[in-house]
Amino acid sequence: MFKIKQFYKNKKVLVTGHTGFKGSWLTMWLLKMGAKVIGYALDPYTQRDNFVLSNISEKIIDVRGDIRDYNKLKQVFEEYKPEIIFHLAAQPLVRLSYETPRETFETNVMGTVNVLEAFRNTRECKILINITSDKCYENQEWIWGYRENDPVGGYDPYSASKGASEIVSNAYLRSFFNPNDFKNHNKVIATVRAGNVIGGGDWAKDRIIPDCIRALEEDKPIEIRSPQAIRPWQHVLEPLSGYLLLGTKLMENPEKYSGPWNFGPQLNSIITVKEIVEKVIKHYGKGSWKDLSDKNHPHEAKLLNLDISKAKFYLNWEPTLNIEDTIKLTVEWYKNYKKNDVFDLCINQIEYFENKIKWLEDKKWKK
């Protein structure tokens, strides 16, 4: 972790979607490392989102704008000249994509095009990491994990839009940022795909953890649509650690590290929605759930898993938390956000995670 911290110290880093769940955690981690963060995003989803409660806006350059607004986005690139870009701005919900398919495609596809264009036309920009989704794959619902060279696609508008974002990124990589020609353009891009990411500060609609917490806070049963659906659950800090590590590698060897990467959890974290809900109830200390399965619900994948061999082999990255640690940290945030300083709460969890990584690294070294 020390080398990663040194890499980002004093770097100008643009985070699109910084007001969102993953974006807020990434922004805080970058701040902890000493980066100069510029954020570009829409307003937060609610007034108790991680971004709002932690007062991150006071610690960064906070720009509000739509990722579909190329002219405004271009101005941000021209004014602040970021060296590194993490592109997270997106319409991130499967079920909402059925209601707003056009907005989903405009945001997730043309938004990506806009970021890539601004990146291409700003000399100071060196690294772009486009955060897509595990749902970008053409899901056959088989039991083995998808590898980075498996076909992208998508049944629903959200998944299809993320698959399209991958295709767009690959087109720019080959057309404008070919690693073999790095000395002429000095730019490198990668895409990253993570599983079902959970953690404190997420209040989005139709996500299982926010649904659980809302029900628990109101002393109502947790309603589950697909209790037997199997997902690769991981704490938000897991994939973010992979993204940050990848950023340090991209300039070292663009040919080796550019392109797509999977960041998934340990095998014991690939469990059903029902099991996740029961673990949340256990750690929260109260609650119940009820099955609201309905065959007329919009289609959602029942089984999805990622193969993370590439990240393990080439980045020496692997998951740090087991499923119990993941749920414990997540529930801890929701049980404490009303009575603690949320920025400190998040930083403490980041430090716990960093110490866990160090402990595992030391343990490996001693072997």
Side-chain angles (χ1 to χ4, degrees):
M1 286 304 299
F2 177 75
K3 288 183 179 179
I4 297 177
K5 292 176 185 177
Q6 290 301 109
F7 177 82
Y8 287 101
K9 188 176 182 180
N10 295 321
K11 292 280 198 314
K12 288 196 285 186
V13 182
L14 172 65
V15 179
T16 72
H18 69 294
T19 61
F21 167 50
K22 287 174 73 176
S24 66
W25 279 97
L26 177 59
T27 298
M28 280 187 276
W29 206 344
L30 287 165
L31 285 171
K32 185 177 182 295
M33 292 178 175
K36 299 174 182 177
V37 182
I38 307 106
Y40 183 91
L42 298 174
D43 290 333
Y45 182 66
T46 76
Q47 286 305 301
R48 58 176 181 169
D49 278 18
N50 206 27
F51 177 84
V52 178
L53 297 181
S54 56
N55 295 313
I56 307 174
S57 61
E58 299 175 1
K59 301 174 176 66
I60 65 170
I61 297 169
D62 179 22
V63 182
R64 293 299 152 80
D66 194 315
I67 203 69
R68 296 172 293 179
D69 185 345
Y70 177 67
N71 289 330
K72 185 166 186 177
L73 181 67
K74 183 181 174 185
Q75 288 174 3
V76 170
F77 273 77
E78 290 173 347
E79 181 174 355
Y80 299 108
K81 298 176 172 47
E83 302 161 76
I84 303 166
I85 297 91
F86 289 96
H87 173 44
L88 293 91
Q91 191 298 91
L93 302 173
V94 172
R95 287 169 67 85
L96 181 59
S97 75
Y98 282 103
E99 299 172 20
T100 60
R102 179 174 177 174
E103 180 182 335
T104 299
F105 281 110
E106 287 176 344
T107 302
N108 295 353
V109 183
M110 286 311 300
T112 298
V113 172
N114 290 341
V115 172
L116 286 162
E117 270 297 283
F119 176 78
R120 182 171 76 92
N121 292 306
T122 306
R123 182 175 57 84
E124 291 80 3
C125 294
K126 302 300 180 186
I127 296 170
L128 170 60
I129 297 179
N130 178 22
I131 289 80
T132 64
S133 170
D134 61 343
K135 296 175 181 64
C136 71
Y137 290 104
E138 184 63 51
N139 189 8
Q140 305 297 321
E141 302 208 12
W142 50 44
I143 59 172
W144 50 87
Y146 291 92
R147 294 173 297 178
E148 287 83 352
N149 58 354
D150 282 325
V152 297
Y155 181 104
D156 56 86
Y158 169 76
S159 303
S161 73
K162 285 300 187 177
S165 178
E166 287 279 352
I167 292 170
V168 167
S169 297
N170 192 42
Y172 269 77
L173 174 64
R174 292 185 293 184
S175 301
F176 307 113
F177 315 123
N178 194 305
N180 296 323
D181 198 30
F182 177 74
K183 289 182 180 179
N184 290 324
H185 55 70
N186 290 306
K187 294 179 184 288
V188 58
I189 63 175
T191 60
V192 291
R193 306 151 180 183
N196 278 47
V197 177
I198 62 177
D202 184 11
W203 296 103
K205 184 182 177 183
D206 292 328
R207 279 191 186 147
I208 191 60
I209 297 299
D211 287 349
C212 285
I213 301 302
R214 279 188 286 262
L216 291 169
E217 289 187 342
E218 296 171 10
D219 290 318
K220 295 179 179 178
I222 300 165
E223 299 178 347
I224 309 179
R225 296 189 308 271
S226 304
Q228 299 307 319
I230 298 172
R231 296 284 186 272
W233 309 94
Q234 57 190 144
H235 192 272
V236 61
L237 297 177
E238 294 276 32
L240 294 185
S241 69
Y243 306 167
L244 290 166
L245 174 60
L246 177 61
T248 69
K249 298 289 188 181
L250 284 167
M251 293 302 288
E252 288 180 15
N253 190 332
E255 187 172 4
K256 182 176 181 179
Y257 295 109
S258 62
W261 295 85
N262 288 340
F263 295 98
Q266 298 177 7
L267 289 177
N268 74 355
S269 296
I270 304 171
I271 60 176
T272 65
V273 171
K274 172 180 174 289
E275 290 173 285
I276 278 290
V277 170
E278 289 175 344
K279 289 180 184 298
V280 169
I281 290 170
K282 182 185 78 171
H283 284 277
Y284 201 85
K286 68 171 187 176
S288 62
W289 66 274
K290 62 180 180 180
D291 187 350
L292 288 188
S293 300
D294 181 354
K295 64 180 181 180
N296 295 317
H297 275 313
H299 173 272
E300 291 186 74
K302 297 289 187 260
L303 179 62
L304 183 59
N305 184 23
L306 295 177
D307 185 321
I308 57 173
S309 301
K310 181 180 174 183
K312 281 186 173 183
F313 185 79
Y314 289 110
L315 295 176
N316 197 28
W317 176 91
E318 58 184 319
T320 300
L321 305 174
N322 61 34
I323 190 61
E324 291 298 331
D325 288 333
T326 296
I327 298 299
K328 180 182 176 182
L329 274 183
T330 300
V331 172
E332 178 185 273
W333 190 99
Y334 288 105
K335 291 184 75 171
N336 287 283
Y337 78 96
K338 292 180 180 179
K339 56 187 178 183
N340 290 82
D341 181 289
V342 170
F343 185 81
D344 290 344
L345 177 61
C346 293
I347 294 298
N348 287 339
Q349 291 199 344
I350 291 171
E351 288 177 348
Y352 168 83
F353 186 82
E354 289 176 338
N355 289 333
K356 188 91 172 177
I357 291 176
K358 185 177 184 304
W359 181 80
L360 290 172
E361 287 175 346
D362 290 345
K363 189 177 178 182
K364 264 198 274 186
W365 180 256
K366 288 174 182 176
K367 286 182 179 180

